[in-house]
């Protein structure tokens, strides 16, 4: 009996290991089902975040509106930032919108849509001796895991004492507020929103933009038809003023890539 059970375990394990990778659904399939599974992070105000128990923000309303126009209902999933692109490749969801910048490394593994805003990162600190990148020498910098801010600090601040990784930006911010880090590097729009809603401490945003990036939604490789429909509808939203309205509502200005 025990032997049979063991054989069975071995058999299921083999099945599991040999299971074909799941693929994100084609646009045709999505259109047929009239539902798309879109994953986001939910910790990146004002783009994707929670107001009470409601997932909302610029990217959430933008995606809801785009898919509404395509006659497709959005089934939202809230996932750690770090897991979003892996899950997309594994077909665990069909689409991701979570402020991913278009980078050559990410382009190797996923398919980017047209950018829906342009931005860059800044240094946030309460240390009056930190005026710019050069002052991060021998300092501890907090960043969110898997972000372009993390990559930028690693590549451009060689004399940094430590780069502390946090699963999400609110934790990186808390590290600076509690003195576990000297500075926080994140997106300027996110930093501005964060300091507005939580003014605790004397954090300041340094004015210099460290780099510029184009942010876009993401589909699995090979899903060009889905990205084409998204891009076409995004252009329509820009043309009829809806993009501008959403951008002003959530971001306070127009951050379209010009
Ligand atoms: N734009 C940056 C990047 O591409 C930060 C994105 C962070 N997004 C989030 N949902 N926490 O890495």
């Amino acid at each position: 009996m025990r032997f049979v059970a063991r054989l069975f375990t071995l058999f299921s394990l083999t099945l599991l290991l040999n299971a074909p990778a799941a693929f994100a659904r084609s646009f045709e399939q999505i259109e047929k089902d009239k539902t798309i599974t879109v994953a986001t992070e939910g910790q990146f105000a004002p783009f994707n975040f929670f107001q009470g128990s409601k997932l909302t923000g610029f990217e959430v309303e933008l995606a809801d509106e785009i898919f509404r126009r395509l006659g497709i209902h959005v089934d939202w999933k809230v996932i750690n930032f770090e897991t979003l692109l892996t899950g997309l490749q594994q077909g665990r969801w069909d689409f991701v919108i979570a402020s991913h910048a278009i980078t050559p490394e990410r382009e190797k593994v996923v398919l980017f849509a047209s950018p829906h805003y342009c931005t860059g990162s800044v240094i946030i600190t309460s240390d009056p001796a930190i005026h710019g990148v050069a002052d991060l020498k021998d300092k501890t910098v907090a960043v969110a895991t898997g972000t372009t801010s993390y990559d930028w600090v690693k590549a451009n601040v060689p004399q940094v004492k430590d780069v502390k990784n946090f699963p999400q930006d609110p934790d990186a911010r808390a590290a600076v507020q509690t003195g576990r880090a000297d500075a926080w590097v994140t997106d300027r729009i996110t930093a501005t929103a964060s300091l507005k809603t939580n003014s605790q401490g004397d954090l300041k945003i340094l004015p210099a933009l460290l780099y510029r990036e184009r942010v876009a939604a993401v589909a699995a490789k090979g899903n060009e038809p889905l990205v084409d429909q998204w891009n076409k509808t995004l252009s329509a939203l820009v043309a009829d003023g809806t993009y501008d309205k959403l951008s002003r509502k959530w971001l306070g200005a127009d951050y379209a890539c010009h």
Side-chain angles (χ1 to χ4, degrees), residues 40-44 48 81 84 98-101 106 117 119 144 146-149 169 187 211 213 215:
T40 190
E41 188 211 11
Q43 296 293 337
F44 204 61
N48 57 82
F81 183 70
L84 287 168
S99 287
H100 286 89
R106 290 173 180 163
Y117 73 95
T119 190
T147 61
T148 49
S149 292
D169 267 301
D187 181 82
Y211 58 89
E213 62 182 18
V215 167

Side-chain angles (χ1 to χ4, degrees), residues 188-257:
R188 178 162 62 181
I189 306 167
T190 296
T192 308
S194 172
L195 296 206
K196 230 182 244 166
T197 51
N198 177 352
S199 55
Q200 185 201 342
D202 44 4
L203 292 183
K204 275 189 201 65
I205 299 175
L206 302 189
L209 209 55
L210 303 175
Y211 58 89
R212 282 181 190 281
E213 62 182 18
R214 296 179 308 140
V215 167
V218 197
K221 276 237 192 253
N223 240 347
E224 277 82 4
L226 171 57
V227 162
D228 288 348
Q229 293 296 326
W230 169 274
N231 290 349
K232 264 189 216 145
T233 317
L234 177 60
S235 299
L237 256 67
V238 171
D240 73 9
T242 310
Y243 176 92
D244 189 57
K245 218 168 86 194
L246 286 178
S247 177
R248 282 176 204 286
K249 170 180 173 185
W250 290 105
L251 316 177
D254 188 347
Y255 285 97
C257 302

Side-chain angles (χ1 to χ4, degrees), residues 17-75:
L17 293 176
N18 290 336
F23 290 107
R25 292 175 313 145
S26 65
F27 183 68
E28 207 183 356
Q29 190 62 47
I30 291 166
E31 226 182 358
K32 215 156 87 200
D33 295 347
K34 292 191 170 48
T35 298
I36 185 165
T37 307
V38 181
T40 190
E41 188 211 11
Q43 296 293 337
F44 204 61
F47 300 103
N48 57 82
F49 67 108
F50 283 90
Q51 271 178 349
S53 62
K54 186 175 185 263
L55 177 68
T56 191
F58 179 63
E59 292 180 312
V60 174
E61 287 203 348
L62 188 72
D64 273 338
E65 178 59 17
I66 288 180
F67 288 117
R68 190 188 65 75
R69 290 190 186 191
L70 293 169
I72 296 165
H73 168 80
V74 177
D75 183 10

Side-chain angles (χ1 to χ4, degrees), residues 135-149:
D135 304 318
L136 295 180
K137 181 175 183 287
D138 300 328
K139 300 287 185 197
T140 298
V141 179
V143 286
T145 312
T147 61
T148 49
S149 292

Side-chain angles (χ1 to χ4, degrees), residues 160-183:
V160 72
K161 180 172 160 204
D162 190 15
V163 184
K164 274 203 175 132
N165 258 294
F166 294 89
Q168 54 197 43
D169 267 301
D171 302 330
R173 176 202 164 117
V176 183
Q177 282 177 312
T178 53
R180 283 175 291 143
D182 303 300

